[in-house]
Amino acid sequence: MMGNKILEVKDLEVKFPVRSKLLASKEEKFKIVIEKVSFSIMEGETFGVVGETGSGKSTIAKTLVGINYPSAGEIYLMGRKINFNKKSDLIFLRRNVGIIFQDPVGSLNPKLRIFDIILEGLNFEEKYTKEEKRDKVYAVAKKVGLNESKLFSYPSELSGGEKQRVSLARAIISPKKILILDEPTSSLDVSIQAQILNLLQNLKEELNLTYIFITHDFNVIKYMCDRLGVLYYGRMLEISEVKDAYENPLHPYTKDLMNANITIEGNSGFESETELGEPARNGCIYLNSCRFKMDICNRDPPMIELNSRLVKCWLYDKSQKEDYIKVKGSN
Amino acid sequence: MINLPRDISHEKNLSEIILEVENLRVSIETIDKRVEVLRGVNLKLKRGEVTAIVGESGSGKTTLAQAIIGVLDTPPVFIESGEIFFDGIKIFPSNEKINFRGQGINMVFQEPLVSLNPVYTIRKQLEESIEVQGLHMKKKEIEEELSKILSDLMIRDVDRVLNSYPHQLSGGMRQRVAIAMAMIQRPKLLILDEPTTGLDLIVQRKIIQLLLKLKKEFGTTLLIITHDLAVAANMADRMYVMYAGKIVESGTKDQVIKDPLHPYSKMLRDSVPSGYKDSGPLRVTEGNPPDISHLPSGCAFHPRCPLAMEICRKEEPTKKVIEDREVLCWLYDGKQNT
């Protein structure tokens, strides 16, 4: 089922202006939130993006649907380069990439009825008549398991799971290629989360979707994704198959994350020794928290390819091989 | 006002049970009706153990904690009936005001940003919680105590944290400060409402380790309120599962997680994904958590229960004791030990 590259992101950089402390100061300052992130998504896969608060997960999601504009780098969607200053390109992007936000309350207009909210997903489509649009809303509501009787309620009358189903319906009412799921279940109870996860799996099969799944929940990532990218303060540190990342994490940060993950089997027997430091200003971003740091880590490591996995760490640089063996032995 | 004795841990005939809640009923009064939020809750906490209460939103977990420590929003929420005993003393209902908060029972609330005062530095707030103990410590001693508790909590740059205001700290740090504030009074029972919700993975792991360490070091009894089964599985000795204002199952952690009796506990466990993608779809139960103001007849779980029987629709189940566990389900009718 997996095929061609459907989306390619090259050296993406996103920066936001920072207001200077002196109001009169003319100089504009920027904070770089995403720095040189590259990845590509294959057709039909679920690509997970994991990272902690402030790592830029949601910024990437928003950039991919053109809510934020990148300050550098290139994005190719189905081979077409997206120019963010061109309206036709943005429409092309938004026609093909849908997004579901974390907070179902904030992403649904409280003054519209559910029917009209879902209908908003067809705003760009001018070819349908009113009746066709109505039928489509009913069909998509059925698809996401939303009771018809809820269609004329307001968002405040719905439960969290139902709201998330509405977001989903609005996103897929016009055919999409890629769906970005930004923490779709983190505000839901576990039993409702399970319902939504199953629904997402079914829809993906049915509609041939490609997912970009953003979350901080490692059990969900493990269950949902084919490959994952680990993000830390705006940098992609590792891209691996999910199984590889769980069984043999490469980057020290991934290792720390996997060690810290708790499951219902109850595995907190051993101590996690990570002391989280601030992200480093120079050199490798994880330098201040890393257990394996070496002298060379004061230089920013390149993305190193290792058995079709990508890792941004000097440990896997061939010229550092001795250290690598040492580290492998100690882990 | 009755003060609890400050330190009675050397006394021998200390009962094993530190907190006992008996048949607690809590209601919310609305304009036109009275809605029962807790419908007869029984709880027994053993001294020195970690007990977890798990359940989904709206099950009444937080209300239970608030009722125990006596901070319910009265009105509209009030305790209708029931008794609470702490360390052998009846703290509710009681005609006298009993000073059990602080050194007796202490609580860490869910959102530390709300429970910390935004206009005082952390130092000032921590000093305050030492002062209320009435120990008349010297300034230097207070300073030592503060840096000791903060380094116990694995905070490295103690001075920076002490001189900060709450908004200047990260979520994990704020949570640690809130725990420090509670631990500094050496409570016998510490209630933690969602102690790690919203925290990053590595920080969550740290907080869990820390709480277990504090429990070991000071013998504090912990009561953890959480919706996250993984947190409960990694911390608790005993677990209580709540649904719609009732405790539907209780037992040791292993019993509840590995061999749950109540269909709801099973459902909770099965909802948590644990395998890879190829492990097949999750076993889900359709339906939503019930609206507490319109509870179904009989067992509140029966509309979602895969094993619902005729009797479940009509009558509320009574408590069944099976070996050393308790379960509220008709399935085990007649199977209990006498």
Side-chain angles (χ1 to χ4, degrees):
Chain A
M1 105 198 145
M2 243 173 266
N4 316 320
K5 268 183 204 171
I6 189 163
L7 180 81
E8 196 172 4
V9 176
K10 271 188 191 162
D11 292 332
L12 181 73
E13 186 190 275
V14 182
K15 58 183 181 183
F16 293 125
V18 183
R19 199 182 291 160
S20 163
K21 276 186 185 161
L22 291 167
L23 278 174
S25 157
K26 285 272 166 64
E27 191 191 357
E28 270 212 315
K29 281 187 178 167
F30 289 96
K31 187 174 169 63
I32 296 179
V33 185
I34 300 294
E35 195 171 316
K36 295 220 159 125
V37 165
S38 307
F39 58 93
S40 44
I41 314 269
M42 303 296 161
E43 199 171 352
E45 77 170 342
T46 304
F47 183 79
V49 179
V50 287
E52 308 199 319
T53 323
S55 60
K57 307 185 295 276
S58 296
T59 308
I60 288 191
K62 286 180 185 164
T63 310
L64 290 179
V65 287
I67 297 175
N68 300 329
Y69 291 177
S71 51
E74 291 157 1
I75 293 177
Y76 297 88
L77 178 64
M78 296 184 280
R80 174 166 164 183
K81 188 179 169 187
I82 305 296
N83 179 352
F84 279 81
N85 295 320
K86 231 166 93 184
K87 205 179 169 196
S88 62
D89 275 10
L90 277 180
I91 290 177
F92 174 72
L93 187 71
R94 289 174 188 159
R95 272 231 166 101
N96 290 298
V97 184
I99 184 165
I100 292 175
F101 296 102
Q102 170 175 11
D103 174 18
V105 185
S107 56
L108 302 180
N109 187 339
K111 288 193 168 178
L112 291 184
R113 287 173 307 178
I114 300 304
F115 182 88
D116 299 311
I117 291 175
I118 298 178
L119 201 60
E120 280 187 318
L122 286 176
N123 275 357
F124 271 116
E125 315 284 341
E126 280 144 12
K127 57 188 175 195
Y128 299 118
T129 63
K130 217 174 164 186
E131 282 72 37
E132 280 173 333
K133 282 185 174 179
R134 202 199 62 201
D135 291 347
K136 272 185 167 285
V137 173
Y138 277 98
V140 80
K142 201 175 166 201
K143 220 176 250 172
V144 298
L146 192 70
N147 199 325
E148 261 181 37
S149 64
K150 302 276 181 189
L151 280 178
F152 296 95
S153 323
Y154 287 92
S156 57
E157 298 166 62
L158 266 55
S159 68
E162 283 164 346
K163 282 183 198 144
Q164 216 48 303
R165 285 176 202 265
V166 173
S167 301
L168 196 56
R170 179 177 56 183
I172 61 171
I173 188 166
S174 69
K176 292 278 185 333
K177 288 269 188 273
I178 301 177
L179 210 52
I180 299 173
L181 307 158
D182 186 1
E183 305 261 17
T185 59
S186 58
S187 62
L188 305 176
D189 279 319
V190 275
S191 64
I192 309 299
Q193 164 175 300
Q195 293 173 7
I196 299 285
L197 292 183
N198 276 354
L199 173 67
L200 286 171
Q201 298 279 40
N202 295 340
L203 283 177
K204 187 175 169 236
E205 297 277 308
E206 201 181 318
L207 305 172
N208 285 323
L209 289 166
T210 304
Y211 285 160
I212 301 178
F213 202 104
I214 295 172
T215 179
H216 66 273
D217 186 327
F218 275 67
N219 297 326
V220 172
I221 279 275
K222 183 178 174 189
Y223 177 67
M224 290 296 290
C225 299
D226 300 298
R227 289 192 307 142
L228 64 81
V230 181
L231 207 61
Y232 183 76
Y233 284 94
R235 283 146 180 96
M236 197 67 98
L237 298 186
E238 178 172 347
I239 298 178
S240 290
E241 298 265 318
V242 165
K243 246 183 188 148
D244 291 336
Y246 276 79
E247 276 154 26
N248 177 25
L250 291 179
H251 198 282
Y253 179 56
T254 322
K255 288 183 200 212
D256 289 339
L257 285 175
M258 295 303 165
N259 273 345
N261 187 27
I262 54 171
T263 66
I264 56 168
E265 275 87 49
N267 55 345
S268 66
F270 59 94
E271 296 241 326
S272 139
E273 274 152 22
T274 325
E275 266 305 328
L276 273 188
E278 295 283 307
R281 280 165 198 272
N282 296 310
C284 172
I285 185 107
Y286 198 55
L287 179 65
N288 293 342
S289 318
C290 188
R291 287 177 286 159
F292 307 109
K293 63 180 163 216
M294 305 173 290
D295 290 341
I296 196 170
C297 294
N298 290 319
R299 279 167 43 205
D300 199 24
M303 206 66 166
I304 293 163
E305 201 177 333
L306 199 81
N307 307 332
S308 79
R309 302 167 68 177
L310 290 168
V311 57
K312 193 177 162 74
C313 180
W314 285 115
L315 284 175
Y316 304 96
D317 188 31
K318 278 189 188 114
S319 54
Q320 304 288 320
K321 201 145 194 187
E322 275 173 35
D323 290 290
Y324 170 57
I325 291 163
K326 200 177 80 203
V327 167
K328 261 204 131 178
S330 72
N331 204 38
Chain B
M1 176 163 350
I2 301 173
N3 282 313
L4 293 178
R6 172 150 172 83
D7 187 19
I8 48 169
S9 54
H10 58 274
E11 279 179 26
K12 269 176 192 151
N13 294 332
L14 223 49
S15 87
E16 208 194 1
I17 305 295
I18 187 162
L19 181 89
E20 192 167 356
V21 175
E22 265 178 22
N23 204 17
L24 187 70
R25 291 179 176 272
V26 174
S27 295
I28 299 182
E29 189 121 297
T30 58
I31 294 170
D32 49 351
K33 64 184 168 194
R34 185 180 278 192
V35 177
E36 241 187 346
V37 197
L38 294 183
R39 305 183 296 142
V41 171
N42 292 297
L43 198 66
K44 263 185 195 168
L45 302 196
K46 278 192 190 152
R47 198 178 292 275
E49 270 194 356
V50 183
T51 308
I53 299 180
V54 294
E56 295 181 286
S57 46
S59 60
K61 313 180 293 276
T62 301
T63 310
L64 175 57
Q66 288 175 341
I68 292 171
I69 198 169
V71 293
L72 284 175
D73 291 330
T74 314
V77 191
F78 60 94
I79 301 183
E80 271 195 56
S81 63
E83 288 176 331
I84 304 172
F85 297 89
F86 174 66
D87 234 359
I89 297 170
K90 193 194 254 186
I91 57 172
F92 184 90
S94 159
N95 296 327
E96 303 226 37
K97 201 169 172 228
I98 299 175
N99 188 12
F100 63 87
R101 282 181 219 151
Q103 287 151 40
I105 310 179
N106 217 328
M107 181 160 170
V108 177
F109 292 90
Q110 180 165 3
E111 176 45 74
L113 197 53
V114 179
S115 52
L116 296 174
N117 190 331
V119 298
Y120 289 123
T121 57
I122 301 297
R123 180 191 304 275
K124 176 114 185 154
Q125 299 186 48
L126 286 177
E127 277 173 4
E128 194 186 1
S129 64
I130 294 184
E131 276 160 23
V132 294
Q133 298 182 51
L135 290 178
H136 305 296
M137 284 161 92
K138 290 204 185 84
K139 204 150 192 200
K140 208 179 149 199
E141 289 171 327
I142 293 182
E143 193 70 17
E144 275 169 18
E145 178 86 13
L146 286 185
S147 35
K148 190 188 168 291
I149 194 100
L150 288 184
S151 51
D152 272 352
L153 284 154
M154 293 185 274
I155 296 176
R156 281 167 304 165
D157 37 358
V158 173
D159 266 341
R160 180 185 72 91
V161 171
L162 284 176
N163 293 328
S164 308
Y165 289 90
H167 72 272
Q168 295 173 312
L169 300 175
S170 66
M173 205 55 96
R174 278 200 289 264
Q175 188 65 281
R176 290 186 209 193
V177 168
I179 293 173
M181 198 176 281
M183 285 307 296
I184 216 161
Q185 308 192 28
R186 304 276 186 274
K188 290 176 194 150
L189 170 64
L190 182 60
I191 304 175
L192 298 130
D193 191 3
E194 305 276 7
T196 62
T197 305
L199 297 183
D200 285 331
L201 208 55
I202 296 176
V203 180
Q204 162 173 304
R205 183 59 166 268
K206 286 246 172 273
I207 299 274
I208 291 178
Q209 276 170 12
L210 198 79
L211 287 170
L212 293 177
K213 194 179 130 205
L214 291 175
K215 168 210 150 194
K216 223 177 186 175
E217 219 161 279
F218 303 117
T220 315
T221 312
L222 299 179
L223 177 63
I224 290 154
I225 316 273
T226 181
H227 71 279
D228 191 338
L229 272 185
V231 171
N234 281 280
M235 293 188 74
D237 300 306
R238 293 188 73 77
M239 272 172 76
Y240 285 83
V241 182
M242 273 190 94
Y243 190 78
K246 280 194 170 185
I247 295 208
V248 295
E249 178 168 359
S250 67
T252 64
K253 173 193 79 184
D254 286 343
Q255 285 171 337
V256 175
I257 291 210
K258 295 198 177 121
D259 173 33
L261 293 177
H262 198 281
Y264 177 64
S265 321
K266 272 186 200 139
M267 186 201 91
L268 267 187
R269 188 199 59 184
D270 292 342
S271 309
V272 181
S274 59
Y276 290 109
K277 195 175 183 181
D278 44 26
S279 60
L282 295 167
R283 261 181 289 166
V284 297
T285 316
E286 291 306 320
N288 292 307
D291 176 0
I292 197 101
S293 57
H294 301 100
L295 282 182
S297 62
C299 171
F301 186 60
H302 88 253
R304 306 171 79 188
C305 183
L307 305 167
M309 301 175 290
E310 199 49 46
I311 191 166
C312 304
R313 291 182 187 92
K314 289 180 193 143
E315 272 179 70
E316 285 204 40
T318 47
K319 189 161 73 188
K320 317 281 185 306
V321 182
I322 293 166
E323 285 156 27
D324 55 337
R325 345 174 26 180
E326 289 176 4
V327 60
L328 205 67
C329 180
W330 284 118
L331 279 180
Y332 302 94
D333 197 25
K335 286 182 195 164
Q336 57 182 326
N337 40 348
T338 43

